Amino acid sequence: MKKSKFFTLAASLLIFGMVACEDTDLRAVSGIESVVMESSSSTISSSSSEIVSSSSTIPNGNSSSSAVSSSSSVKVNSSSSVAGETKPSSSSAKSSSSAESVEILGTCAPQKDSIVMTQWATWVFTQTSPADTSVASSLKFKWIIEGSYQGTGSGKGLRNVSGQYPETGTYIARLSIAGGDTITCSPLTVTVAPITGCKCTASAETVDVSNGYGLANWNISGCESLLGISAYTWSSDVNPTWANASLTFTAAGQSVTPTIAVSNDNGSYLEVTCPTVTAIRSNE
């Protein structure tokens, strides 16, 4: 009976010990799993942090577009009229001289619509916007003066340029600012300098040759030209002396109506007809 009780007690102790061991192992396993999960979670958070960090570099990719927009944009407007047709022109240009975008508006035209040959023609760019004209002072103006002796002109802030023309005709100038599109300025007409105001007079309408001969005289006066008068060319039926001419009549009934051509160095030519002079005999 004692043996039976001892056996029962021993068996109970053995079972309790086994149960205790199982609980300890489960707690140990549970602790390991917890550590693994925390470590894994930490790894995921670290990876996520790296992703966020790399995505934060994306805005720096706009630095190139920022550099492009830092170039100044220059726009010039002009009206040109060729052969009676008005055409708007514009020019777009870029300049690195300013960190901000700027728009320049203006017109391009000759100072005078018409000049005579050998005179100077001045082409002018007139800025209308912005009001501060110094904005374009650092920008390069490049001119092409078609048909002129000078041909071209350029310089920073060069808003006007001049040229001379060897031939008559209609001419234009072209302008680009800071390397932008070329605009066409309004046209210029080049003509020869006109000669005006000439008047030819005779000393008398008749010449008396009763004594065997009579002298007639003519004179040209009042001629005006912007470039001055370079020559007087009389017809061959009289004897010329610059602005005067004469003829000796010897017989009654003789009659002469001389002409004179007036010219200047600009190529202008004006022909004038002088009064007719007739020879008579007063004693008949």
Side-chain angles (χ1 to χ4, degrees):
M1 188 68 179
K2 289 182 177 179
K3 289 181 180 180
S4 177
K5 288 181 179 180
F6 177 78
F7 179 79
T8 301
L9 180 60
S12 298
L13 292 171
L14 178 61
I15 292 169
F16 180 79
M18 291 177 65
V19 171
C21 286
E22 281 184 16
D23 291 341
T24 302
D25 291 340
L26 289 171
R27 283 192 298 272
V29 170
S30 177
I32 292 170
E33 289 177 349
S34 177
V35 172
V36 172
M37 290 296 291
E38 288 178 4
S39 174
S40 174
S41 175
S42 175
T43 303
I44 292 171
S45 297
S46 174
S47 174
S48 175
S49 176
E50 290 179 2
I51 292 172
V52 172
S53 174
S54 66
S55 67
S56 69
T57 63
I58 291 175
N60 292 334
N62 293 331
S63 60
S64 61
S65 63
S66 176
V68 171
S69 63
S70 69
S71 299
S72 296
S73 175
V74 179
K75 184 177 181 181
V76 181
N77 289 335
S78 169
S79 293
S80 62
S81 115
V82 179
E85 183 180 1
T86 301
K87 299 180 180 178
S89 301
S90 64
S91 173
S92 295
K94 290 183 178 180
S95 168
S96 59
S97 61
S98 173
E100 297 181 357
S101 178
V102 60
E103 183 177 61
I104 297 177
L105 302 178
T107 58
C108 177
Q111 200 170 52
K112 294 181 179 179
D113 293 338
S114 178
I115 63 166
V116 298
M117 281 191 331
T118 74
Q119 277 189 318
W120 287 87
T122 300
W123 298 89
V124 180
F125 171 73
T126 304
Q127 183 175 316
T128 57
S129 177
D132 183 5
T133 57
S134 65
V135 173
S137 296
S138 61
L139 302 179
K140 185 176 182 180
F141 284 63
K142 184 177 181 180
W143 296 84
I144 299 174
I145 319 166
E146 295 186 359
S148 70
Y149 286 116
Q150 289 67 31
T152 61
S154 64
K156 287 187 177 181
L158 187 64
R159 292 180 175 83
N160 58 74
V161 67
S162 299
Q164 286 179 299
Y165 297 83
E167 301 291 340
T168 60
T170 300
Y171 298 92
I172 57 172
R174 302 182 190 277
L175 169 65
S176 64
I177 301 177
D181 297 336
T182 300
I183 64 172
T184 301
C185 304
S186 300
L188 166 76
T189 301
V190 179
T191 64
V192 292
I195 299 171
T196 60
C198 292
K199 184 178 181 180
C200 185
T201 59
S203 56
E205 293 182 356
T206 59
V207 174
D208 189 1
V209 292
S210 297
N211 296 326
Y213 66 91
L215 183 65
N217 291 289
W218 292 267
N219 170 262
I220 183 79
S221 63
C223 296
E224 295 182 354
S225 175
L226 186 62
L227 300 180
I229 304 302
S230 60
Y232 294 104
T233 305
W234 292 87
S235 54
S236 58
D237 49 4
V238 293
N239 301 309
T241 306
W242 188 239
N244 300 290
S246 63
L247 179 65
T248 300
F249 288 90
T250 58
Q254 286 182 307
S255 181
V256 174
T257 307
T259 60
I260 181 172
V262 185
S263 58
N264 61 22
D265 290 333
N266 198 218
S268 285
Y269 176 92
L270 178 67
E271 185 172 283
V272 179
T273 300
C274 297
T276 301
V277 176
T278 305
I280 61 170
R281 288 184 183 275
S282 60
N283 57 2
E284 291 182 354

